[in-house]
Amino acid sequence: MSRIVFGLIGVVVALFPDGVIESYEAIALENPEECSAKPWLAPAVRAEGVLYVLATLAGGRAYGWLLNVAGVAGLVAAVAPKQYLDAGASLAYDRPEEVNWNEGFVTGVRVLGFALVVLAARALGKRRRA
């Protein structure tokens, strides 16, 4: 099931990176109109979507690698969501110090991080049993 979800997310992200970024900013930021993304952000988001699709189609080790990376990112997000988001802002925005996160979004990132850790751990357990 998670493979289908990752694949569908990848398709949406690859086809509509600008819309994904706009939706993310509308949900995540208190001040999206004051934040200017770096010019390479949309192509990088598209590439991430393509990577998700390729890994889910390939399955096996490629998909396992994707889940491992998601689990590590999830662990960081679960333990330190504000720092995780701030690190992303420093990579993605021209003036990261002006990025203000919605408080509820920070909590949501923590919950999503825990969910990714659980998903990755379950998948690792299944791969080891096989």
Side-chain angles (χ1 to χ4, degrees):
M1 177 65 165
S2 66
R3 192 166 158 185
I4 293 169
V5 171
F6 269 108
L8 291 174
I9 290 170
V11 168
V12 171
V13 169
L15 292 176
F16 310 105
D18 292 321
V20 168
I21 293 167
E22 287 175 21
S23 296
Y24 172 83
E25 289 175 340
I27 294 167
L29 303 178
E30 289 179 2
N31 60 337
E33 64 286 339
E34 297 172 24
C35 299
S36 177
K38 292 182 179 176
W40 55 263
L41 184 60
V45 168
R46 183 183 308 273
E48 182 180 7
V50 169
L51 179 67
Y52 281 22
V53 171
L54 292 176
T56 56
L57 289 175
R61 293 185 125 186
Y63 183 66
W65 177 86
L66 174 66
L67 287 180
N68 290 343
V69 171
V72 170
L75 181 61
V76 174
V79 171
K82 180 80 166 68
Q83 293 83 352
Y84 176 82
L85 290 168
D86 288 345
S90 69
L91 292 172
Y93 291 94
D94 288 328
R95 294 184 314 268
E97 66 280 355
E98 294 182 9
V99 173
N100 295 320
W101 302 105
N102 284 321
E103 192 57 39
F105 186 74
V106 175
T107 301
V109 165
R110 183 184 301 271
V111 171
L112 180 60
F114 278 119
L116 287 172
V117 169
V118 169
L119 178 68
R122 286 183 60 210
L124 181 62
K126 285 181 184 178
R127 287 195 308 272
R128 291 217 168 140
R129 285 191 297 271

